Amino acid sequence: METRIAKLEALVQGLASKSDLAEVRADFHKGVNDLIKWIVGTAFAGIVLLITIMTFVLNNAVPKAVVPSASSPAPIVIQLPATPAAPLEAPKP
């Protein structure tokens, strides 16, 4: 009988206790929380990178129209009607 009890005690010592399982559970939850933080952070960084690349491409893909600068405005042309020329007189001696 004592040999059977010794075998059972050896078997019980190899099993995990409630405190061991609580430690494993806490480590598991910490690992899951860290993983969620990494996934959310990576997704956020990816979205920011995507928006940055799209903004750069869309701003530089279409050629911009040439806009005249305000420092040199277009010249103003005024046309006057032609006036009849006065007859030339001979110089007086």
Side-chain angles (χ1 to χ4, degrees):
M1 184 76 155
E2 289 181 21
T3 58
R4 290 182 69 191
I5 292 176
K7 286 181 183 179
L8 285 175
E9 286 177 354
L11 181 65
V12 169
Q13 288 177 354
L15 296 178
S17 64
K18 284 187 177 184
S19 63
D20 292 338
L21 291 177
E23 290 176 17
V24 171
R25 184 175 292 127
D27 289 341
F28 176 75
H29 285 295
K30 183 183 179 304
V32 168
N33 289 337
D34 289 344
L35 183 64
I36 289 172
K37 288 177 189 176
W38 273 100
I39 290 172
V40 169
T42 304
F44 180 73
I47 290 170
V48 168
L49 183 65
L50 179 70
I51 290 173
T52 303
I53 291 171
M54 286 177 52
T55 303
F56 177 77
V57 168
L58 292 176
N59 282 335
N60 295 315
V62 179
K64 302 209 184 306
V66 177
V67 178
S69 63
S71 63
S72 60
I76 299 173
V77 178
I78 300 174
Q79 294 181 351
L80 298 175
T83 57
L88 292 175
E89 294 183 14
K92 295 184 183 180

